[in-house]
Amino acid sequence: MNTSILKGVYSSQEAEDLLTQMIQVKIKFHENKINNIHANEEDIKMRENCIKQLQKELYDFRQHIQKQAYKVKLNTEINIELVN
């Protein structure tokens, strides 16, 4: 099953806002898991690394579009596969 989340052409500011909000949701998800009293040290470190990577990707994206684009084409898709 596939679903498109973002599909279209946006101003660079709109694209930055949309992606910032989406990445913040994922960061918040990891932060909530870290704050779970049952989280173990290995899981916490893995999630902290994920957060750092997301922050870096957002920074890189912002740098890229601010220098080069007036319009940005976004096409994000979620692919759902059931795994046993």
Side-chain angles (χ1 to χ4, degrees):
M1 184 173 143
N2 297 333
T3 184
S4 291
I5 299 297
L6 294 174
K7 188 173 187 176
V9 177
Y10 302 89
S11 72
S12 58
Q13 185 60 52
E14 289 172 327
E16 183 177 341
D17 290 346
L18 282 166
L19 290 173
T20 297
Q21 290 179 39
M22 291 181 71
I23 289 172
Q24 287 175 341
V25 167
K26 191 160 182 189
I27 288 171
K28 184 70 174 165
F29 170 80
H30 286 298
E31 288 173 341
N32 288 340
K33 293 294 186 177
I34 288 170
N35 293 329
N36 182 337
I37 59 171
H38 302 293
N40 63 46
E41 188 174 334
E42 182 179 319
D43 187 51
I44 290 170
K45 288 184 185 211
M46 182 271 302
R47 292 183 186 283
E48 287 173 342
N49 286 334
C50 288
I51 290 169
K52 288 177 188 173
Q53 182 62 35
L54 288 165
Q55 291 169 332
K56 181 186 181 322
E57 289 172 5
L58 180 58
Y59 174 82
D60 291 346
F61 170 75
R62 285 178 172 160
Q63 294 300 307
H64 183 69
I65 67 165
Q66 289 174 356
K67 291 179 184 175
Q68 304 197 11
Y70 174 71
K71 297 279 185 179
V72 178
K73 183 176 181 180
L74 298 177
N75 186 16
T76 62
E77 184 174 276
I78 294 179
N79 301 311
I80 301 170
E81 297 179 27
L82 301 178
V83 179
N84 292 324

